[in-house]
């Protein structure tokens, strides 16, 4: 199953009662900007999901800069927006790909079966002249049942075990830009470098002008990695790892997980080694 939907595919489905479009626009460092953009204009019928209020939990000593949200909180958010387990969810951001992909991974973790990222994001939709408005949507509340899919989640303990034992059947993948991976510069976190044993596959390489690349291009991006491997993807805080998660699945990799705490969680433990 693909996690990607094209704007031309969404357009005829826009008014379906079985569809819910989810606006995930966000700006790191300016947390109100995404919601302000949503209030100004958005895809018709869309509801807003905030990266830090809805798709992440409260930052604590451990767990990273964008930890998992409280399950009851995200459940309430879904229910208050009229979303059931059968609703087809289509997420978009400004065209960066990372915030909508975070939504797709999170809902996959919650056990949702039909969730997609809009290829090209809001920029592509708007540039095509497709329907937008500024209406604040109110949907009838529903019931949502969480059925966690642990197959897409890698715990801190699992990553720790990997660094200690280096099993051949697991690949640890760092999605950050090369300078951060190599420890040359670190603009965000308190320590520089990467988790021992990780390979570097920069997340922006799976995108081009806001669109996910074609399947064959995604496959060539990961040619050095065996399809039979279990892949654990991380980044700085579990956001930009998400496009790599989707790209790997599109490329045909079966066993892909995200270490959601990522590097910011890893370095919160003083005794953890760094390369």
């Amino acid at each position: 199953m693909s996690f990607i939907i094209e704007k031309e595919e969404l357009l005829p489905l826009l008014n379906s009662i079985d569809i819910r479009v989810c606006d995930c626009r966000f700006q790191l460092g300016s947390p109100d900007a995404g919601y302000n953009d949503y209030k100004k204009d958005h895809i018709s019928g869309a509801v807003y999901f905030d990266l830090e209020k809805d798709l992440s939990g409260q930052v604590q000593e451990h767990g990273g800069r964008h930890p998992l949200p409280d399950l009851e909180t995200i459940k309430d958010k879904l229910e208050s927006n009229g979303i059931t387990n059968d609703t087809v969810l289509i997420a978009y951001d400004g065209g960066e790909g990372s915030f909508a992909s975070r939504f797709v991974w999170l809902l996959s973790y919650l056990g949702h079966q039909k969730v997609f990222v809009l290829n090209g994001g809001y920029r592509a939709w708007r540039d095509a002249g497709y329907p937008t408005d500024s209406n604040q949507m109110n949907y009838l509340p529903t019931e949502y049942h969480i059925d966690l899919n642990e197959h897409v989640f890698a715990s801190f303990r699992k990553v720790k075990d990997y660094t200690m034992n280096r099993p051949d059947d697991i690949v640890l993948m760092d999605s950050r830009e090369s300078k951060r991976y190599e420890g040359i510069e670190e603009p965000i976190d308190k320590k520089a470098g990467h988790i021992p044993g990780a390979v570097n596959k920069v997340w922006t390489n799976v995108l081009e002008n806001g669109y996910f690349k074609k399947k064959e291009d995604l496959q060539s991006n990961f040619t050095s990695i065996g399809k039979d491997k279990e892949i654990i993807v991380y980044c700085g805080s579990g956001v930009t790892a998400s496009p790599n998660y989707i790209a790997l699945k599109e490329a045909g990799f079966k066993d892909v997980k995200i270490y959601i705490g990522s590097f910011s969680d890893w370095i919160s433990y003083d005794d953890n080694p760094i390369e």
Side-chain angles (χ1 to χ4, degrees):
M1 173 190 142
S2 176
F3 283 114
I4 299 170
I5 188 170
E6 304 296 336
K7 58 185 184 298
E8 296 83 2
E9 296 176 289
L10 173 58
L11 184 61
L13 304 174
L14 201 57
N15 296 319
S16 170
I17 60 172
D18 300 322
I19 297 284
R20 187 73 74 247
V21 180
C22 303
D23 188 318
C24 301
R25 283 178 287 175
F26 194 81
Q27 289 184 32
L28 294 171
S30 183
D32 295 328
Y35 184 56
N36 289 336
D37 287 342
Y38 168 79
K39 289 189 293 184
K40 181 180 177 183
D41 55 67
H42 50 257
I43 294 178
S44 297
V47 295
Y48 186 72
F49 281 80
D50 187 285
L51 171 67
E52 295 183 344
K53 296 177 181 177
D54 303 315
L55 307 181
S56 307
Q58 293 291 321
V59 176
Q60 300 181 27
E61 181 183 2
H62 303 299
R65 287 182 279 106
H66 293 107
L68 281 173
D70 175 79
L71 293 182
E72 283 302 312
T73 300
I74 187 64
K75 180 177 182 288
D76 290 345
K77 176 75 176 187
L78 294 167
E79 291 177 337
S80 65
N81 283 289
I83 293 169
T84 73
N85 295 76
D86 296 322
T87 306
V88 178
L89 300 177
I90 296 157
Y92 69 88
D93 51 31
E96 307 87 355
S98 57
F99 305 118
S101 295
R102 165 75 172 219
F103 179 94
V104 169
W105 177 85
L106 177 60
L107 268 293
S108 297
Y109 175 59
L110 298 182
H112 205 85
Q113 296 297 310
K114 299 174 183 177
V115 57
F116 304 88
V117 59
L118 178 64
N119 215 7
Y122 189 65
R123 182 175 60 224
W125 181 270
R126 183 193 57 218
D127 289 351
Y130 288 170
T132 64
D133 58 45
S134 59
N135 298 333
Q136 302 285 305
M137 301 307 301
N138 291 300
Y139 293 102
L140 291 175
T142 55
E143 287 190 9
Y144 192 90
H145 303 284
I146 291 174
D147 183 16
L148 291 182
N149 177 14
E150 299 288 357
H151 295 294
V152 303
F153 175 81
S155 66
F156 165 76
R157 184 73 257 168
K158 185 174 183 68
V159 176
K160 181 78 169 181
D161 288 345
Y162 166 82
T163 63
M164 296 172 66
N165 300 308
R166 305 292 178 92
D168 292 335
D169 59 345
I170 296 178
V171 174
L172 184 62
M173 181 182 294
D174 189 316
S175 300
R176 298 171 302 160
E177 64 180 348
S178 297
K179 286 184 178 180
R180 294 182 69 193
Y181 168 81
E182 294 167 6
I184 296 172
E185 61 181 46
E186 179 47 64
I188 302 172
D189 290 310
K190 296 178 181 179
K191 298 179 181 179
H194 60 267
I195 300 174
V199 299
N200 189 211
K201 293 289 183 181
V202 182
W203 71 278
T204 51
N205 290 342
V206 305
L207 296 156
E208 187 171 6
N209 298 322
Y211 289 85
F212 279 91
K213 293 180 179 179
K214 301 297 184 183
K215 182 177 181 178
E216 54 270 23
D217 294 324
L218 296 177
Q219 289 173 332
S220 64
N221 187 64
F222 302 117
T223 49
S224 60
I225 299 170
K227 289 281 184 71
D228 59 335
K229 305 289 187 180
E230 175 185 352
I231 304 172
I232 301 173
V233 191
Y234 78 90
C235 56
S237 67
V239 177
T240 57
S242 304
N244 260 349
Y245 169 83
I246 289 177
L248 285 158
K249 298 295 285 185
E250 294 293 315
F253 290 82
K254 303 297 184 185
D255 192 356
V256 187
K257 300 174 171 65
I258 288 183
Y259 168 33
I260 202 68
S262 286
F263 191 68
S264 55
D265 177 52
W266 182 259
I267 63 172
S268 70
Y269 297 89
D270 291 336
D271 61 338
N272 278 343
I274 298 170
E275 287 182 347

